[in-house]
Each structure stands twice: as structure tokens, then as C-alpha cells.
Amino acid sequence: MPHTPDLSPQRPPFWISVASFVSSFDRFVVSPILVLVAATFGVSVGQAVAIASGYYLAYGLCQPLWGALSDRFGRVRLMQGALVGAGIAGLVSAAAPNLITLVVVRVVAGAFFGAIVPTSLTYVGDTVSDTHRQRALSDLMAAMAVGTALAAAAAGITGQLAGWRVVFAVPALVALVSAWGLRSLAEPPRTTSGGVKASFRAALSNRWVIVVGLLVFVEGGLVLGVLTLLAPALQAQGVDAARAGLAAAAYGIAVLLSSQVLKALTRRLPRWALMGIGGVALTAGYAAATMRVSVPTIIGIVVMLGITWAFLHTSLQTWATSIVPEARGTVVACFAASLFIGSSIAAVIAGPAADRNQWHTLFTVCAATATVLTIACVIAYRAYTAREATPRTADVPTDV
């Protein structure tokens, strides 16, 4: 029988990558400017963290809705509308007169930007075969990593030189341009499960969706939640906003480089091994910082978080896109909801520790939790693959 070549796309389209880039950029600009925002409005850093935690919470809580709507109305159409809404909210953020207003409009921006990454991932799931999917997702992660690195570096420098308001205006304008660019993409073919309610039923009735959601909830807290506080940690050591932002940019660079390594290893190592590598990096980064909190150890954590994101998070993402194909948009959106709700809760919990400079205690808890998460991810994924490889009783022919 002749071999049929795989003619499906192997990389995400340009404007999908741009939309993911700006969503990631907007999400990470806040960390280096938290101190500047706090100084502008005369509040503590712990209070200013609300603009990050509120953003992440809205970003996460809206995910299931966006996913179900994308299953119902289409991926591209949804992203265009969300980018317009995010762009408008970003421009209003730049003009916010007080902290309360800024928190509110950042919540709105987070809600709209929250549609982009999971819908982009779902678009890749719809258009790229399983053979090439993790490498395609790695390319998408690379675009997000560039956004992260530029956000962290540019936000600190721009915030110090031109003010934090400019930092919110730039991604807003890019979002509006991205919405215009997406008009050239056709909607991918997709299999729906019969409406929004049916999509949620199909997704949430699968226990592996719940398992992956719990794992990424913890990962979100350890990676994104604590990452928000690492630039302030550097500033607590006497580092200015510009240099703190440049240090935080190491995260994006680490994700970008690690994503390329991941693409080479995808064919050589099983997915559970890739998860293990990411989890070990996460544990090692926090464990090193428990011995001494300093500028080098904070930068070390940032780099290890980048490796974790490339190896562990991308593997969890690929797993999520494969569990319930008929409700893929809803599953991926629930996945992203767990990620960002976890990050929001972690940022709130860790905020008081940041105010009191209790970094040693924070990193000790993170290292212990990372160890448990790594073991849980490896065991859960191996159990999932073993179950999928075993024919179900209902599928085995009988003589009855």
C-alpha cells in the first residue's frame, strides 16, 4: 500500500503567531512596571499587584466561554473580535487616572486577550496533524517567547524613560493591527459536538481533562504567578526597573532557545520524559534560590522557568489538544482557564511575602511544590498513554 504524504500545515500562520505574540507581550509587560505604577498612585507593590492578578483572573475565568464560542462560531472570527476589544481596553489602560480604574480596565483587557492564545492553540490543533503538532506548538510558543522577552525588556526601559502608560498603549495598537491581518485567514474545518452545552459536557465529563486541568493549575501558579514577582524581587535588591526588566527578559530568551531544543528532542524522547526535564528545571531553579536570594539566583529562576515552560507546559498543552477532539476548543480553553486562575491565585498569595521580602520562604514552598508536580505529571501521563493503548472492553469483539 503506497505511503500517503502528510500534506497538512506544519507551522502556524503568520498572523496567528503575531496575535499570540501580542497577547503574550501584553501579559508580561506588567511585572517590570509594578513599582512605577505603585509610585504613581502612592500605593504599595502588594496593592499594585492587583493589576496583574486581576488581569490573570479575568484571563483565566473567560477561557471556557471563549473556547465554547470558538467551537460554535469559528476560531478566526473570535480572535478578530477579541483583539479589537483588547486593543480598546489597552488604550484606556494607558489613560487610567487612578489605580481602581487601571485595575478595572486591565481586567477587561485580560478578558479579551484571554481568547487569543487558547484559540491559536486550537487553530493549530484543527489544522496540523498529530505527527507535527508538538513542533508546530513549539513554533507558536517561540512567538510567545519573543513577546515575553521583548515585553520584559521593553517594559522596564520604556517605563523608566517614557512612563508606564506608553507600555500599555503599544500592545493595544499591535492588537488592532493583528485583528486586521487575520482577515486573510479562512476558518479551519472542525468537528463540533452540537453546541456550547454539548461542548462543555463532552469536555468536563472526561476525567483526563480534569487531571490535566489540575496539573496546569499548579504549574500556572509556580511559573506565571511567581514570575510576576521576580522583577520586584530584583528591585528589592536595589536594581532599577530597566535592569530588572532586562533580567526578566531572560525568561523569554530561555523559552525561545528551549523550544528549539524541544523540537529536536520530540522525536527522540517520550512526552513524559520531556515533562520530567521541565519539572526538574522548575525544582532546581527554586531550590537554588532557597540557599541565597540574590540577583544571580533570581535570574537563574527566570531561566529555569523558561525551560519549564518550553518542556513541561508545551507537553501538557499538546496532551490537552488530543483528549476530546470534538470539543477541542472548549478543552483547550478550560486548560488555559486553569493555568491563569492558578497564576492569579499564586500572585495574590505570594504578594504579602514580596512586600515583606520573605523570598526564602516563598522559594522553599515553590521548590517543594515543583517536586510534587513533576512526579504527578510523569505518572499521570504514563497512566493516560497506557490506558489509551489498551483496547476498551466495548471495542473488543465478542461471540455474544
Side-chain angles (χ1 to χ4, degrees):
M1 185 175 179
H3 173 69
T4 302
D6 183 357
L7 300 178
S8 70
Q10 298 184 18
R11 307 187 71 177
F14 173 75
W15 285 109
I16 293 289
S17 295
V18 172
S20 298
F21 163 88
V22 71
S23 177
S24 182
F25 187 100
D26 190 77
R27 195 166 70 244
F28 283 97
V29 293
V30 67
S31 181
I33 61 172
L34 278 177
V35 173
L36 300 177
V37 171
T40 297
F41 296 129
V43 299
S44 70
V45 172
Q47 291 172 303
V49 164
I51 67 176
S53 59
Y55 184 104
Y56 291 152
L57 188 61
Y59 197 109
L61 289 176
C62 290
Q63 301 295 318
L65 175 63
W66 292 130
L69 290 176
S70 77
D71 279 338
R72 177 69 178 84
F73 297 107
R75 320 302 188 199
V76 178
R77 188 182 309 167
L78 180 77
M79 282 190 284
Q80 285 181 296
L83 285 166
V84 170
I88 294 171
L91 293 176
V92 177
S93 298
N98 52 57
L99 182 62
I100 294 176
T101 303
L102 182 58
V103 170
V104 171
V105 291
R106 292 313 292 164
V107 166
V108 174
F112 278 114
F113 268 123
I116 307 307
V117 171
T119 310
S120 298
L121 296 172
T122 307
Y123 184 96
V124 170
D126 288 339
T127 57
V128 179
S129 69
D130 189 61
T131 303
H132 303 292
R133 192 174 299 157
Q134 183 147 8
R135 290 191 293 278
L137 289 174
S138 294
D139 286 335
L140 203 58
M141 289 299 102
M144 296 177 202
V146 172
T148 301
L150 287 178
I157 296 171
T158 304
Q160 191 153 314
L161 297 179
W164 58 264
R165 298 180 187 277
V166 177
V167 173
F168 288 132
V170 171
L173 295 174
V174 177
L176 295 174
V177 172
S178 301
W180 175 83
L182 284 172
R183 79 195 195 287
S184 62
L185 291 183
E187 288 289 348
R190 62 189 189 279
T191 302
T192 62
S193 56
V196 173
K197 185 181 294 186
S199 292
F200 276 112
R201 188 184 306 115
L204 299 180
S205 63
N206 187 298
R207 70 170 181 169
W208 290 109
V209 173
I210 305 301
V211 169
V212 176
L214 290 173
L215 294 173
V216 81
F217 175 89
V218 178
E219 186 214 20
L222 289 173
V223 179
L224 299 184
V226 179
L227 180 63
T228 304
L229 300 172
L230 294 184
L234 288 173
Q235 289 164 292
Q237 306 297 318
V239 178
D240 60 39
R243 287 188 295 157
L246 287 172
Y251 171 81
I253 296 171
V255 174
L256 183 61
L257 295 177
S258 299
S259 296
Q260 302 312 304
V261 175
L262 174 67
K263 289 170 67 177
L265 292 179
T266 298
R267 292 177 178 173
R268 296 180 174 89
L269 295 176
R271 193 165 292 152
W272 63 264
L274 300 176
M275 292 178 175
I277 292 172
V280 168
L282 182 63
T283 303
Y286 284 127
T290 62
M291 294 182 282
R292 184 184 178 191
V293 178
S294 62
V295 172
T297 56
I298 295 296
I299 295 175
I301 292 174
V302 171
V303 171
M304 291 301 181
L305 292 182
I307 295 172
T308 299
W309 190 260
F311 279 82
L312 177 58
H313 185 75
T314 302
S315 296
L316 289 171
Q317 246 171 15
T318 307
W319 185 5
T321 64
S322 305
I323 300 174
V324 187
E326 67 271 19
R328 183 177 284 126
T330 304
V331 172
V332 173
C334 289
F335 172 92
S338 294
L339 173 73
F340 288 101
I341 291 172
S343 67
S344 176
I345 291 174
V348 170
I349 293 173
D355 276 342
R356 294 191 290 267
N357 286 325
Q358 294 177 334
W359 302 108
H360 175 80
T361 300
L362 177 61
F363 296 147
T364 299
V365 172
C366 288
T369 307
T371 302
V372 175
L373 175 66
T374 303
I375 296 170
C377 286
V378 171
I379 291 175
Y381 187 74
R382 295 194 70 173
Y384 170 78
T385 53
R387 180 176 175 81
E388 290 300 300
T390 303
R392 294 177 176 83
T393 303
D395 298 330
V396 178
T398 67
D399 296 329
V400 177

